[in-house]
Each structure stands twice: as C-alpha cells, then as structure tokens.
C-alpha cells in the first residue's frame, strides 16, 4: 500500500511504534478514494471507522439553529485522523456529520480492529490518548482564536496557514468555520 509509510510517519510522531505493531496494522488498513463530495458519517450514526487523511480535505458539520445545512465546525487536513468527538472512542452516536471533499484519499481502520490493537500492543493506549489530547488542544486553540481575534486577523492567519483549503472548500464553509458571514469573507481576502 503506497500510503502506509505516510501513516507510519505520523503515528511514530505521536508515539514510537514497534515493528510488531506495524506488522499487525498493515493488513487492517483499507484505502478509500473519494470521487465526489461524500458524507462519511451522519449525525446519530455510530462511527465504525477512523480515517487518516492522506491528501485532500474533510470537514465536520454541526447542527445549527441559524442554518438548515449546519455549520462547519472543523476541518481535517493531510496527516490528520478523522473521528467524531465526542463519540467515536466510546462508540456513541455522533453529534456531528463528516463530509469528505472530492479527490480526498483516506486510509481507514475499523473501530473493532483499532480496539484489538489498543488491547494487544502497549503503544496502542498511548497513541490514542496522544491523538485525543492533540485534537482537543487544536480545538481549544481554534475556540480561543474565535474569541480573541478580529475577523481580519483570523482570516489572514488561516489563509497563510492553509492556503490550499481556499482552492478546495466553499467560501461559505470556510466562513462558517471562522465565525464570519459567508458573504463577508471575500472582503477580508482581498487584501491578502
């Protein structure tokens, strides 16, 4: 599998992994290529797989009283693990939806196989806790930015950190994620 090495590099940054773990993991991974925009998880479903983004973009959609289509509450980029939070690790129904953009390549591992890896290898629980911690820290940083930065600062920072997303995602999805009305984001992008 051509993308397995990319997954191993990211896992090894989270926690050093053994050759035995690597050997056990490899046959469990399934590669998915998303041809058209695809809903990977619906609100209320129990997520049965965790995904690793090889390339492309995945977004999280949360219910919102002010819009019928929901709001973009998170994006996952290349090198990220995609899971409903909270919900995935506890096997609870998802409170969000997960949507992959066209052209996204994912590596998939079932929840059952992940549970066996956690149970059978000492690095399993450490990997999961590190992954959850980093995900929570990134979300906390985003919330802090939403509260503390002006819209222009937020758009500028996000644009410079994630230029590629502006070529893939809809402006309204990016605006939603940044807490800006979708018709206002273009005004902030003009000066960049």
């Amino acid at each position: 599998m051509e993308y397995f090495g990319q997954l191993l590099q990211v896992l090894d940054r989270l926690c050093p992994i053994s050759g035995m773990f690597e050997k056990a993991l490899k046959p469990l991974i399934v590669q998915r290529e998303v041809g058209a925009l695809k809903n990977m998880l619906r609100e209320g479903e129990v997520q049965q797989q965790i995904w690793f983004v090889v390339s492309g973009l995945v977004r999280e959609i949360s219910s919102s009283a002010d819009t019928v289509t929901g709001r973009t509450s998170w994006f996952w980029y290349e090198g990220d693990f995609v899971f409903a939070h909270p919900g995935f690790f506890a096997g609870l129904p998802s409170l969000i939806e997960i949507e992959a953009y066209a052209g996204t390549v994912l590596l998939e591992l079932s929840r059952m196989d992940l549970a066996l890896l956690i149970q059978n290898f000492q690095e399993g629980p450490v990997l999961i806790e590190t992954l959850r911690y980093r995900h929570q820290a990134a979300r906390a940083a985003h919330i802090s930015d939403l509260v503390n930065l002006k819209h222009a600062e937020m758009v500028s920072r996000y644009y410079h950190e994630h230029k590629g997303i502006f070529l893939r995602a809809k402006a309204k999805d990016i605006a939603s994620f940044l807490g800006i009305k979708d018709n206002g984001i273009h005004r902030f992008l003009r000066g960049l």
Side-chain angles (χ1 to χ4, degrees):
M1 178 177 300
E2 64 184 287
Y3 300 119
F4 189 68
Q6 189 177 342
L7 171 63
L8 290 179
Q9 287 177 348
V10 172
L11 288 175
D12 204 44
R13 276 185 254 141
L14 294 173
C15 163
I17 57 172
S18 66
M20 293 299 290
F21 183 90
E22 179 183 331
K23 187 176 179 182
L25 176 63
K26 189 169 187 174
L28 305 176
I29 298 295
V30 176
Q31 183 177 317
R32 300 270 183 235
E33 295 184 29
V34 179
L37 187 68
K38 180 175 174 139
N39 190 301
M40 306 291 289
L41 178 71
R42 297 200 184 285
E43 185 177 352
E45 293 178 349
V46 175
Q47 184 178 354
Q48 296 302 320
Q49 300 87 13
I50 188 168
W51 298 285
F52 173 75
V53 182
V54 172
S55 63
L57 183 65
V58 179
R59 81 177 180 123
E60 174 185 285
I61 306 160
S62 298
S63 296
S64 176
D66 59 335
T67 175
V68 176
T69 58
R71 66 178 185 77
T72 301
S73 46
W74 196 250
F75 282 110
W76 289 280
Y77 317 95
E78 182 178 318
D80 286 342
F81 290 89
V82 178
F83 57 91
H85 179 79
F88 174 71
F89 292 105
L92 298 173
S94 176
L95 302 175
I96 53 99
E97 294 196 9
I98 295 175
E99 181 179 81
Y101 284 84
T104 299
V105 178
L106 303 166
L107 297 183
E108 177 180 284
L109 177 66
S110 77
R111 220 164 70 71
M112 274 188 3
D113 288 339
L114 178 61
L116 289 173
L117 289 170
I118 293 169
Q119 180 182 333
N120 294 330
F121 294 91
Q122 66 182 20
E123 58 264 66
V126 176
L127 278 170
I128 296 307
E129 284 308 308
T130 304
L131 179 63
R132 291 171 76 176
Y133 172 79
R134 287 191 177 190
H135 188 73
Q136 274 299 108
R139 284 182 179 267
H142 179 63
I143 291 168
S144 176
D145 285 349
L146 287 173
V147 171
N148 295 310
L149 295 179
K150 294 181 178 173
H151 290 317
E153 294 172 301
M154 174 88 70
V155 172
S156 177
R157 178 186 289 180
Y158 193 67
Y159 178 80
H160 287 97
E161 290 175 0
H162 302 284
K163 284 183 184 173
I165 193 173
F166 289 84
L167 301 173
R168 275 188 186 265
K170 297 175 187 168
K172 72 177 187 67
D173 294 342
I174 298 169
S176 176
F177 179 62
L178 298 177
I180 299 168
K181 293 185 181 188
D182 61 329
N183 58 357
I185 195 164
H186 297 291
R187 179 181 53 159
F188 297 116
L189 289 172
R190 278 188 212 119
L192 300 178

